[in-house]
Amino acid sequence: MKAFGDRLRELRLARGLTQKQLGAILCVSSNTVHSWESDKQEPSMCMLLTIGEYFDVTLDYLFGRSDY
């Protein structure tokens, strides 16, 4: 089962985005995106919903509970 950080990294790279670019889209720093991708920090529920909407995926997908 993939962790949130792995899924976020895969989604970001699939869109051809850098951590800095994704941070700008989500109004957070690139350091924050890095912390999420390395599973050092977790985003708030509101931010999780925003990430899911941006990438058009479910929260179950983001947390590795579903493969689609």
Side-chain angles (χ1 to χ4, degrees):
M1 182 167 90
K2 291 189 178 189
F4 169 76
D6 293 331
R7 288 281 166 106
L8 180 60
R9 183 179 303 109
E10 286 175 0
L11 290 167
R12 176 179 60 79
L13 293 174
R15 291 260 175 118
L17 297 170
T18 65
Q19 289 179 342
K20 184 175 182 177
Q21 290 169 323
L22 181 58
I25 290 165
L26 299 174
C27 299
V28 298
S29 71
S30 59
N31 287 338
T32 298
V33 174
H34 173 75
S35 293
W36 293 341
E37 289 185 357
S38 59
D39 292 313
K40 293 179 182 175
Q41 272 186 324
E42 294 179 358
S44 68
M45 180 57 72
C46 182
M47 184 57 70
L48 287 169
L49 293 171
T50 301
I51 292 168
E53 287 177 10
Y54 178 76
F55 288 111
D56 194 28
V57 295
T58 65
L59 293 182
D60 280 344
Y61 179 82
L62 285 175
F63 285 104
R65 295 175 43 136
S66 166
D67 286 332
Y68 50 92

